[in-house]
Amino acid sequence: MSIPDYMQCAEDHQTLLVVVQPVGIVSEENFFRIYRRISSVSQVSVRDSQRVLYIRYRHHYPPENNEWGDFQTHRKVVGLITVTDCLAAKDWPQTFEKFHVQKEMYGATLYDSRLFVFGLQGEVAEQPRPDVAFYPSYEACESVEKRTEDFIESLFIVLESKRLDRATDKSGDKIPLLCVPFEKKDFVGLDTDSSVLLGLTRHYKKRCQGRMRKHVGDLCLQAGMLQDSLVHYHMAVELLRSVNDFLWLGAALEGLCSASVISHYPGGTGGKSGARRLPSSSLPAEAANRHRPGAQEVLIDPGALTTNGINADTSTEIGRAKNCLSPEDIIDRYKEAISCYGKYKNAGVIELEACVKAVRVLAIQKRSMEASEFLQNAVYINLRQLSEEEKIQRYSILSELYELIGFHRKSAFFKRVAAMQCVAPSITEPGWRACYKLLLETLPGYSLSLDPNDFNRGMHRGWAAVQIRLLHELVYASRRMGNPALSVRHLSFLLQTMLDFLSDQEKKDVTQSLENYTAKCPGTMEPITLPDGLTLPPVPFTKLPIVRRVKLLNLPASLRPQKMKSLLGQNVSARSPFIYSPIIAHNRGEERGNKIDFQWVQGDVCEVQLMVYNPMPFELRVENMGLLTSGVEFESLPAALSLPAESGLYPVTLVGVPRTPGTITVNGYHTTVFGVVSNCLLDHLPAIKTSGSTVEVIPALPRLQISTSLPRSAHALQPSSGDEISANVSVQLFNGESQRLVVTLENVGLEPLEKLEVSSKLLPTKEKLYGDFLSWKLEETLAQFPLQPGQAATFTVMVKVSLDFSCQESLLQDLSDDGISVSGFPLSSPFRQVVRPRAEGKPANPIEGGRSGEPGQGKTLAAILNFKYSGGPGHVEGYYRNLALGLHVQVEPSVFFTRVSTLPATSTRQCHLLLDVLNATEQELTVSAKSDEELVLRAGECQRMAIQVEKFSFESVPESPGEKGQFANPKQLAEERQEAQGLEISNKLDIRWAIPSLKRSGEASVEGVLSQLVLEQLQLAPLQWDVLVDGQLCDSEAAACQVGDPVRLEVRLTNRSPHSVGPFALTVVPFQDHQNGVHNYDLHSTVSFVGSSTFHLDAVQPSGQSACLGALLFLYTGDFFLHIRFQEDSRSKELPSSWFCLPSVHVRAMEAPA
């Protein structure tokens, strides 16, 4: 026997072998349709008996295997069923003759045969024939199963007769010697009756008896007599072991094992679900006691044997034998049987099949290590020269058996060997499809899965080198199959999952091969379904490049939408009437995990930043890289990039435009690398860091673009509030200069611009700024609204810088060194000019050479103009945008007031304001106040100018918030009041400067220059004193009187303070000024008082007035001055001395006219 049956199992020993074959020309479909129906009759219960017959069907069986039917009866073909087509009666004789020819092939062993004829009708079909069944068609053949059962019953009759005939053979001492084919030549011519060969004859008879006992045991097992077969097998083992008939001893031991396996495992060991159905009624009563452990021995009584060694009555033996082997003894007997077979090189097939049967039994017993020993023995069994197909079958069965015992990697090894055998060089037509199918089946054994997501979960499993080799073989097999799409898919899988285990050269080779394949068949993200139903999932290149971080970027500061504040606030939900709900809070917490706290705008370009890394040792070209989104309609704008070899983290920005409002989720990105399209989802990439992937898209808003009349600034403003400036402009102005800033507003979006608000913010600075830095009128601009897309409007802003014009102490020291008096100035010389010489070591430009705090150093001011605008659907939803314009102003010094003082004027209501003016520019400069003449100053020159001004009552100064109690600090109250007074004085002075050469001009404010003392001197006292001589107000002019005439003197007090003042006592002291610094107060003989020289004023209420009267008499002519002073008391000391400033009274006494 040369062709092994790898599907053999222990329970096959009790089956009858029936061959079903076609006769003539029968279509394969029709034949297997009938074959399946016939083979469904696999178990038949014997009538009037508890026995069950088991049938094994084959549609092909080698005739040489049939020659081993005496050795093991389950190998003998006992039944033949043929199927044929016969459409005409004239073809019937020829068909019937073919049937007889077919029977002759197995004629020596056949018990019975049947011929199923399809398509023949008429007289021939109506004739009853026991071995022929006629059917009109393959559809109208309902009785096929019934005919098959009748055929099996006829086989049982013959089987039972043969069993009884063998068991009750009465032919004397002549028992035929059963032989296997290769033994027949060894017994040719042997004389067993010779007395010379008496010892040999006894040995020969025992051999005949033992082989016959074994044969009867096979027949009993097939006939359903399990316990009888066990007895015969035990007796055959003893007889054959005594004569060292090892081949048949092995067969007897195998039969004993098979019967025991059938007893222990009624479900079978072949793994075929439902193949064996054992009704409870068919089991003998002894089956309940068959699982007794321990050694199974047979006690044979010599008296039980007849002269020929066969006793028909075995009931006594059944009662005395411990028939069934234990599960452990079954394996030991299998090992012994295989050892016996191994002594014969012609029994290799028998030995191989016995190993397979033992492995199946061990698999049931879950004894994998012992099963592997049997399989290892089966691998090394040397059979005849096998064909390629037989080799493939052998390796495939070995793989299945290793899989059965749980040796998955060993199973995969033999499966791969079988796959390689399918395309061996000796095969003229290699079976690449079979090779590919077998290679796919090896993947689980090598811890490989065709799903790339399985490789993203933890550590790598399996041997990477073996897996890479297997994937290369899959690629090659699929290419030889003519399926380039499969080759691309497997090569992509190799590159994606095994990238970390490839050398640099292997990476280059694999990518080069992949590019060659994708040039003919690009890689897609569509699943590939194989003919056997297996689906290959897509393989996205998540490692080409490797993405470490995904970050959704906010819109630029000028395009970010902001929500208008409602009356209820932003944190109040209108969907729930409750302040707090745990369900809502939980849901918000989940949304907050993925949702980002900024918004995108419909129709605007949005950005997502990826930090990518190129792991390849060469430049990686990534094409068509874009975003994968869901939730709203999104137009992705793909990008192409080229990453250098092992680039490290490299930022890549992907952009797109949402076309509809709603909530958008960035699910991942898509790429095209080496011709393979990949959709990489973030959910499948747990190593990626992301701050969130969901963002809200609000309705469309207009887009405002601004341009100005000023040049752009090279320095971007960095406000402390974190606001981002969209544009920066700069201008250089002299202190006190004004500049018009024209801003052009252009709507570059797709929605109309309907609303606009403008505000400004001055960035913090150490400099004191006076007046409005930025001012504008928005009405003219709003008159051009709504601004349609593409239209523009202008907006004018007035920029005015007015910093402190005072000078520092360091400069005053320089002026003192130059000879300028800093204490006071004579009235007769209100102007004094001093040219300050320039030091040789100082640079020509005071701005460049000045230190911080020097008059020549420029200052910097910065402000932000905010344009808050809205329109379109976004305005309806309550959103707006804010555009910020940064203004950078470099303030250069123009003039400085180095010193300020006052001198009294001839009138108590006036005074002289003395200003030392310094030209801090490099140009000639003119200064003028009100309508006075201009004062010309050369570069670096300082001059004094005197301005006669009316004293200020400051009644027009508005009440400051500090005076209303907002500021509790008195110092702040005083500063506010001083600033307001300085502003009023500066506005009335209207000091202006001009640089004719540059055609630049501006204002010079004295707000920060005036000290509190100067302010007091410029302010009208709260107590206003008026002196009248003869009813004529004496302020600046001399009052004339005649000698000898009494002069009426009246002193009036007007109280402008908020409190009551007085009473006061005033003393009038006359004196003469000799204009040489000598005052003569001894005028008793020259001036006489009419009455007392002391005047009394009663208390004066706020806004009230009081007066006191007196008279003087001048006795001589001349110029007299009256000095009115107050008598010191507690009330006058409580008030400031400046409140008691009475005008000096000049009286000129003249001779009376003749």
Side-chain angles (χ1 to χ4, degrees):
M1 189 169 66
S2 59
I3 302 177
D5 183 5
Y6 296 101
M7 303 306 297
Q8 284 271 324
C9 51
E11 54 268 21
D12 286 344
H13 283 249
Q14 70 175 347
T15 61
L16 298 176
L17 180 58
V18 176
V19 175
V20 182
Q21 291 182 339
V23 173
I25 302 175
V26 180
S27 68
E28 184 176 353
E29 179 183 358
N30 291 334
F31 170 73
F32 280 103
R33 182 193 304 178
I34 300 301
Y35 177 79
R36 283 190 293 269
R37 294 183 61 182
I38 293 173
S39 60
S40 65
V41 186
S42 60
Q43 301 178 17
V44 176
S45 298
V46 180
R47 298 176 184 177
D48 302 328
S49 173
Q50 295 182 348
R51 289 185 277 176
V52 178
L53 291 181
Y54 294 93
I55 315 300
R56 189 169 89 256
Y57 295 95
R58 294 289 184 269
H59 55 79
H60 175 73
Y61 194 73
E64 57 268 26
N65 286 10
N66 196 37
E67 297 175 1
W68 291 70
D70 290 338
F71 182 71
Q72 290 176 324
T73 57
H74 73 281
R75 300 182 184 278
K76 182 186 300 184
V77 179
V78 298
L80 175 66
I81 299 177
T82 56
V83 179
T84 185
D85 286 340
C86 185
L87 302 178
K90 62 180 180 177
D91 298 332
W92 166 244
Q94 183 180 0
T95 302
F96 194 68
E97 181 65 24
K98 291 180 180 179
F99 170 58
H100 280 285
V101 173
Q102 195 79 6
K103 284 198 300 181
E104 291 176 359
M105 185 180 301
Y106 307 103
T109 60
L110 285 180
Y111 293 172
D112 200 356
S113 60
R114 290 290 185 273
L115 173 63
F116 290 172
V117 182
F118 293 88
L120 185 61
Q121 298 179 356
E123 183 180 352
V124 177
E126 294 174 358
Q127 296 177 3
R129 294 177 180 270
D131 57 347
V132 181
F134 294 95
Y135 297 101
S137 65
Y138 287 97
E139 289 75 21
C141 53
E142 293 81 6
S143 62
V144 168
E145 290 81 358
K146 183 64 175 63
R147 295 259 187 173
T148 304
E149 292 181 5
D150 295 341
F151 172 65
I152 300 303
E153 290 181 358
S154 69
L155 295 180
F156 172 72
I157 294 172
V158 178
L159 172 65
E160 185 68 11
S161 65
K162 285 183 176 292
R163 184 187 70 81
L164 295 174
D165 181 59
R166 297 283 188 180
T168 59
D169 192 355
K170 302 301 183 180
S171 58
D173 295 334
K174 293 289 184 179
I175 298 178
L177 179 65
L178 302 177
C179 302
V180 295
F182 69 86
E183 288 181 323
K184 292 181 180 180
K185 64 180 183 301
D186 297 333
F187 294 101
V188 174
L190 180 63
D191 185 4
T192 60
D193 295 333
S194 174
S195 59
V196 180
L197 302 175
L198 180 61
L200 182 62
T201 302
R202 290 176 182 173
H203 189 277
Y204 178 78
K205 285 184 178 180
K206 281 191 175 182
R207 177 177 292 184
C208 292
Q209 291 173 1
R211 293 188 178 188
M212 185 57 68
R213 274 285 182 179
K214 186 267 171 194
H215 182 67
V216 173
D218 288 347
L219 294 176
C220 291
L221 189 59
Q222 286 183 310
M225 302 174 67
L226 180 63
Q227 294 300 327
D228 289 41
S229 67
L230 286 169
V231 173
H232 287 292
Y233 284 137
H234 277 294
M235 297 176 68
V237 168
E238 295 300 327
L239 288 170
L240 294 171
R241 182 178 281 119
S242 66
V243 295
N244 294 331
D245 191 356
F246 294 111
L247 182 63
W248 286 79
L249 174 61
L253 289 171
E254 186 181 357
L256 181 60
C257 292
S258 298
S260 300
V261 168
I262 293 171
S263 178
H264 279 292
Y265 311 108
T269 62
K272 299 176 183 178
S273 177
R276 300 173 59 82
R277 299 186 302 275
L278 295 179
S280 59
S281 61
S282 66
L283 295 178
E286 300 90 336
N289 300 322
R290 66 185 174 213
H291 295 292
R292 294 191 301 268
Q296 303 298 321
E297 299 179 358
V298 177
L299 304 178
I300 301 176
D301 184 3
L305 297 176
T306 61
T307 56
N308 59 4
I310 303 295
N311 188 355
D313 186 7
T314 60
S315 59
T316 57
E317 298 171 12
I318 295 173
R320 297 175 59 190
K322 296 179 182 180
N323 300 324
C324 188
L325 299 176
S326 69
E328 293 79 10
D329 287 340
I330 290 174
I331 304 305
D332 293 338
R333 297 299 181 269
Y334 262 124
K335 290 181 180 179
E336 185 179 355
I338 292 170
S339 177
C340 293
Y341 291 149
K343 300 179 184 298
Y344 300 88
K345 64 178 182 179
N346 293 322
V349 174
I350 303 298
E351 180 184 1
L352 177 61
E353 291 182 355
C355 289
V356 172
K357 296 170 189 174
V359 168
R360 297 188 188 277
V361 175
L362 287 168
I364 294 293
Q365 298 178 358
K366 300 187 182 303
R367 297 161 66 180
S368 300
M369 293 305 297
E370 295 180 61
S372 67
E373 296 177 3
F374 279 93
L375 277 179
Q376 193 68 22
N377 181 65
V379 171
Y380 292 108
I381 294 177
N382 187 18
L383 301 179
R384 64 171 178 82
Q385 188 67 28
L386 300 177
S387 65
E388 301 297 337
E389 183 177 353
E390 290 172 336
K391 291 180 181 178
I392 295 170
Q393 184 184 14
R394 182 181 184 182
Y395 295 135
S396 299
I397 293 300
L398 286 173
S399 173
E400 292 177 5
L401 293 174
Y402 272 115
E403 184 72 23
L404 185 64
I405 64 175
F407 282 39
H408 303 294
R409 193 165 61 231
K410 199 85 169 182
S411 170
F413 170 78
F414 282 102
K415 187 82 72 174
R416 179 177 170 273
V417 173
M420 294 297 101
Q421 203 66 45
C422 292
V423 292
S426 57
I427 300 179
T428 56
E429 294 183 1
W432 288 106
R433 293 189 180 276
C435 173
Y436 179 79
K437 184 176 182 298
L438 290 173
L439 287 176
L440 285 180
E441 294 174 2
T442 65
L443 296 179
Y446 289 115
S447 301
L448 265 178
S449 167
L450 291 177
D451 189 356
N453 293 327
D454 295 339
F455 289 81
N456 295 332
R457 302 166 187 156
M459 297 178 60
H460 186 87
R461 296 178 63 248
W463 293 345
V466 178
Q467 293 171 342
I468 292 172
R469 176 67 179 273
L470 182 59
L471 290 173
H472 274 297
E473 291 170 352
L474 279 173
V475 172
Y476 186 74
S478 57
R479 183 177 70 86
R480 294 299 299 269
M481 286 167 53
N483 193 336
L486 270 182
S487 301
V488 171
R489 182 59 51 87
H490 289 308
L491 205 54
S492 302
F493 183 85
L494 167 63
L495 195 58
Q496 167 67 18
T497 59
M498 302 295 165
L499 184 64
D500 298 336
F501 304 98
L502 296 176
S503 65
D504 289 351
Q505 186 59 42
E506 287 174 334
K507 290 177 182 178
K508 294 179 182 179
D509 295 340
V510 171
T511 53
Q512 183 62 42
S513 300
L514 184 58
E515 287 181 331
N516 294 338
Y517 285 131
T518 54
K520 301 176 182 178
C521 179
T524 65
M525 286 298 294
E526 297 296 328
I528 298 178
T529 303
L530 301 179
D532 58 355
L534 181 66
T535 300
L536 300 183
V539 181
F541 278 157
T542 59
K543 294 184 178 180
L544 296 174
I546 298 174
V547 177
R548 294 298 187 195
R549 187 170 69 239
V550 176
K551 181 181 181 181
L552 277 65
L553 300 182
N554 199 351
L555 293 174
S558 60
L559 298 179
R560 292 174 191 170
Q562 300 181 29
K563 185 72 173 178
M564 297 180 183
K565 294 183 180 179
S566 63
L567 295 177
L568 294 177
Q570 297 299 320
N571 296 326
V572 179
S573 175
R575 298 182 179 179
S576 174
F578 301 104
I579 297 176
Y580 172 79
S581 170
I583 300 177
I584 296 177
H586 177 70
N587 294 337
R588 287 177 179 172
E590 292 180 350
E591 293 175 1
R592 196 178 297 115
N594 269 339
K595 197 164 185 179
I596 303 177
D597 57 357
F598 58 76
Q599 294 90 23
W600 285 350
V601 180
Q602 172 190 356
D604 285 359
V605 176
C606 305
E607 297 178 337
V608 176
Q609 186 183 70
L610 282 67
M611 299 301 293
V612 302
Y613 167 70
N614 175 20
M616 305 301 281
F618 50 85
E619 183 180 8
L620 181 65
R621 296 188 303 275
V622 183
E623 302 173 354
N624 194 33
M625 190 172 189
L627 295 173
L628 297 175
T629 62
S630 62
V632 303
E633 182 182 347
F634 187 81
E635 179 185 355
S636 178
L637 306 177
L641 59 144
S642 180
L643 299 175
E646 299 177 353
S647 60
L649 287 181
Y650 186 85
V652 174
T653 302
L654 303 180
V655 299
V657 180
R659 295 301 181 186
T660 56
T663 300
I664 186 172
T665 300
V666 177
N667 301 320
Y669 59 94
H670 62 82
T671 61
T672 301
V673 181
F674 304 128
V676 178
V677 176
S678 302
N679 291 342
C680 305
L681 302 179
L682 301 182
D683 293 341
H684 296 164
L685 302 174
I688 285 187
K689 295 181 180 179
T690 175
S691 58
S693 57
T694 302
V695 66
E696 182 184 0
V697 179
I698 68 164
L701 286 169
R703 292 181 58 186
L704 182 63
Q705 177 177 303
I706 60 175
S707 58
T708 67
S709 58
L710 297 180
R712 287 188 173 271
S713 174
H715 306 283
L717 297 183
Q718 299 294 335
S720 58
S721 61
D723 298 334
E724 295 187 21
I725 310 300
S726 57
N728 290 273
V729 295
S730 62
V731 63
Q732 182 180 16
L733 298 176
F734 287 101
N735 190 12
E737 188 178 5
S738 300
Q739 174 74 42
R740 290 169 58 89
L741 170 62
V742 179
V743 181
T744 303
L745 310 175
E746 183 179 1
N747 184 4
V748 295
L750 301 177
E751 302 295 332
L753 201 158
E754 303 171 3
K755 299 292 182 180
L756 177 66
E757 296 179 11
V758 182
S759 61
S760 64
K761 177 182 179 183
L762 181 66
L763 297 189
T765 178
K766 296 180 180 180
E767 305 300 328
K768 179 68 175 179
L769 186 64
Y770 300 95
D772 293 332
F773 180 46
L774 300 175
S775 59
W776 62 83
K777 293 184 178 180
L778 193 59
E779 291 75 11
E780 296 179 359
T781 304
L782 293 179
Q784 307 175 45
F785 278 39
L787 207 60
Q788 299 299 324
Q791 293 183 352
T794 57
F795 174 67
T796 303
V797 179
M798 183 61 68
V799 183
K800 180 181 178 181
V801 291
S802 181
L803 301 180
D804 190 0
F805 284 85
S806 64
C807 194
Q808 286 74 16
E809 295 180 359
S810 60
L811 181 62
L812 293 178
Q813 184 64 37
D814 293 340
L815 296 177
S816 298
D817 295 341
D818 291 336
I820 298 180
S821 175
V822 294
S823 58
F825 306 96
L827 183 60
S828 59
S829 57
F831 289 89
R832 183 181 178 190
Q833 172 180 324
V834 175
V835 178
R836 188 176 62 170
R838 184 181 307 278
E840 296 180 358
K842 295 183 179 180
N845 191 347
I847 300 175
E848 298 177 0
R851 301 184 306 270
S852 176
E854 291 188 359
Q857 184 178 9
K859 306 290 193 302
T860 300
L861 295 178
I864 300 175
L865 270 174
N866 289 309
F867 297 87
K868 179 178 174 181
Y869 65 96
S870 182
H875 175 64
V876 177
E877 296 295 328
Y879 288 95
Y880 68 91
R881 277 177 168 159
N882 191 53
L883 185 62
L885 173 64
L887 178 60
H888 185 276
V889 181
Q890 182 71 27
V891 183
E892 301 296 338
S894 55
V895 296
F896 282 112
F897 299 115
T898 61
R899 180 178 175 81
V900 180
S901 61
T902 60
L903 284 178
T906 55
S907 171
T908 58
R909 297 181 182 272
Q910 295 178 344
C911 70
H912 292 284
L913 180 63
L914 305 181
L915 300 173
D916 287 354
V917 185
L918 172 66
N919 178 7
T921 69
E922 293 296 318
Q923 310 293 329
E924 186 178 88
L925 180 142
T926 63
V927 181
S928 62
K930 295 192 290 186
S931 59
D932 294 347
E933 295 181 358
E934 293 181 349
L935 182 66
V936 180
L937 298 176
R938 294 191 298 273
E941 183 181 7
C942 180
Q943 291 190 21
R944 178 171 299 152
M945 63 183 302
I947 307 173
Q948 183 174 327
V949 294
E950 298 286 338
K951 288 189 176 182
F952 299 88
S953 63
F954 299 124
E955 294 180 353
S956 60
V957 176
E959 186 181 12
S960 65
E963 292 176 289
K964 296 180 180 179
Q966 180 179 352
F967 299 100
N969 191 347
K971 184 177 180 181
Q972 291 182 351
L973 296 176
E975 289 179 355
E976 275 197 353
R977 189 177 300 107
Q978 184 176 344
E979 289 178 3
Q981 294 171 355
L983 176 61
E984 181 178 349
I985 294 172
S986 183
N987 291 337
K988 288 188 177 181
L989 291 179
D990 191 21
I991 302 175
R992 306 187 65 82
W993 57 264
I995 304 177
S997 60
L998 299 179
K999 297 182 179 179
R1000 307 275 288 272
S1001 62
E1003 299 178 356
S1005 173
V1006 296
E1007 291 182 60
V1009 179
L1010 303 177
S1011 64
Q1012 182 63 34
L1013 178 60
V1014 174
L1015 287 175
E1016 291 178 358
Q1017 294 173 353
L1018 291 177
Q1019 180 180 5
L1020 287 173
L1023 300 182
Q1024 182 178 340
W1025 302 89
D1026 295 321
V1027 180
L1028 288 79
V1029 177
D1030 288 339
Q1032 180 182 355
L1033 184 63
C1034 293
D1035 190 3
S1036 57
E1037 300 293 333
C1041 66
Q1042 293 181 0
V1043 175
D1045 292 341
V1047 178
R1048 186 164 51 91
L1049 182 65
E1050 179 181 1
V1051 179
R1052 293 179 184 175
L1053 172 60
T1054 303
N1055 184 9
R1056 299 180 181 273
S1057 69
H1059 307 288
S1060 174
V1061 295
F1064 302 107
L1066 294 84
T1067 301
V1068 179
V1069 179
F1071 69 92
Q1072 283 185 318
D1073 185 1
H1074 297 295
Q1075 299 296 323
N1076 57 359
V1078 178
H1079 293 177
N1080 181 18
Y1081 289 92
D1082 188 12
L1083 300 178
H1084 297 287
S1085 59
T1086 307
V1087 180
S1088 176
F1089 284 91
V1090 180
S1092 175
S1093 62
T1094 301
F1095 298 81
H1096 294 275
L1097 284 175
D1098 296 330
V1100 184
Q1101 299 300 323
S1103 302
Q1105 194 175 36
S1106 178
C1108 59
L1109 300 175
L1112 291 89
L1113 182 65
F1114 293 94
L1115 304 177
Y1116 296 96
T1117 60
D1119 290 326
F1120 299 92
F1121 295 89
L1122 300 181
H1123 177 56
I1124 304 175
R1125 60 187 179 186
F1126 292 83
Q1127 293 183 1
E1128 294 186 0
D1129 57 10
S1130 59
R1131 293 185 179 275
S1132 62
K1133 289 182 179 180
E1134 293 177 356
L1135 300 177
S1137 59
S1138 60
W1139 288 25
F1140 301 95
C1141 184
L1142 274 73
S1144 179
V1145 181
H1146 184 193
V1147 180
R1148 182 170 294 158
M1150 297 181 296
E1151 292 288 342

